[in-house]
Amino acid sequence: MSLTQPQVEQAAELFLQAYRSGQQIDALPDALCPQSKADAYAIQAIVSGELCSTGIRTWKVGAPNLDTEPYAAPIFESVVSASPTIIPAEKLHMIGMEVELCYRFNTDLPTRAKAYSVEEVAAAIEGVYVAIEVVDTRIKQWQTCAELWKLADNQINAALIIGSGVQDWRGLDPAKLAGELVVNGEVLVRGEGAHSVGDPMHLVHWTVNHLAGRTGGFRKGDVVTTGSWTGMVFVEPGAEVVGRFEGVGEARVSFPV
């Protein structure tokens, strides 16, 4: 059974209070736990509408494998920045790092009756860029709570740093690409051909059609980031982080104390 609209609104208010206060939610009421992705997306929509009045221009998507339906979550424009950037460590409860590839669109892909083909989506992509996703959460018990709570919490996103990239991206071979996470000058993780679904374009294509039915689709300049090649690695305050893909580019962020 899905949540009622009042329950969705109450769950969204928990997250809004957490964002506004900077304090994590101590306890998640069982009665408000999302029962489906639709519930989680409804909570996302209310929170996004309150905190991002200009609309969502950046999305994250992920899936553990090709056999599992992907998920999508908004990233607020206030936490999207160009590389290099600085995020004070004191603003975060934890500092999780993921090295990703993100795709920027050069044309609108609005809602329509017919689903977009893979080729139509590919033709609408302006370029591929290296991104670092910063992971943090409004939920204190994020490691043990129901997965749908994390989806409602924008899949525990805190920020996205977009670095350099390439426009001639079609020749990139996902099986040979290697994402590297470099912390304080040391390569901590190198994930070659390590994306969970092989080719991230599978997720980009899904996201376009998913959002065409849910939000009205994509606009020129919108971005979708497609999940980690390095897993999630936690770093300490003061860390200097680089995410890079040879032949694509790099992104940089530091977390001064």
Side-chain angles (χ1 to χ4, degrees), residues 18 30 39 54 103 135 162 183 193 211 247:
D30 290 340
D39 285 345
T54 58
Y103 295 68
V135 180
I162 301 176
V183 179
L211 293 181

Side-chain angles (χ1 to χ4, degrees), residues 10-184:
Q10 290 174 53
E13 184 59 29
L14 291 175
F15 290 114
L16 288 168
Q17 291 175 3
Y19 275 110
R20 290 165 175 159
S21 69
Q23 301 298 313
Q24 290 179 308
I25 302 167
D26 283 320
L28 296 167
D30 290 340
L32 301 182
C33 183
Q35 300 301 300
S36 65
K37 286 183 177 179
D39 285 345
Y41 292 149
I43 295 168
Q44 286 181 6
I46 293 174
V47 175
S48 297
E50 289 288 328
L51 300 182
C52 193
S53 60
T54 58
I56 301 299
R57 305 299 306 273
T58 305
W59 291 85
K60 61 176 292 184
V61 60
N65 51 60
L66 281 170
D67 297 324
T68 303
E69 182 185 57
Y71 63 78
I75 301 177
F76 305 145
E77 290 309 289
S78 60
V79 298
V80 177
S81 58
S83 171
T85 196
I86 294 171
I87 301 175
E90 65 182 11
K91 291 188 174 183
L92 301 167
H93 305 290
M94 62 186 192
I95 312 175
M97 299 281 95
E98 296 186 351
V99 177
E100 310 189 1
L101 292 176
C102 67
Y103 295 68
R104 179 177 284 124
F105 293 91
N106 62 8
T107 190
D108 295 348
L109 293 171
T111 296
R112 70 181 194 187
K114 182 182 177 182
Y116 287 96
S117 67
V118 173
E119 184 52 42
E120 286 176 307
V121 173
I125 293 171
E126 174 268 327
V128 174
Y129 300 85
V130 178
I132 297 173
E133 183 182 6
V134 182
V135 180
D136 192 12
T137 175
R138 276 52 60 183
I139 302 169
K140 183 171 288 187
Q141 305 300 329
W142 68 276
Q143 291 175 299
T144 56
C145 71
E147 289 296 317
L148 287 172
W149 272 121
K150 289 185 278 190
L151 182 57
D153 186 29
N154 293 347
Q155 201 60 33
I156 62 174
N157 170 265
L160 188 74
I161 297 89
I162 301 176
S164 53
V166 295
Q167 283 68 54
D168 184 20
W169 60 272
R170 289 185 185 240
L172 298 175
D173 182 354
K176 296 179 180 178
L177 283 176
E180 290 188 340
L181 175 65
V182 184
V183 179
N184 299 328

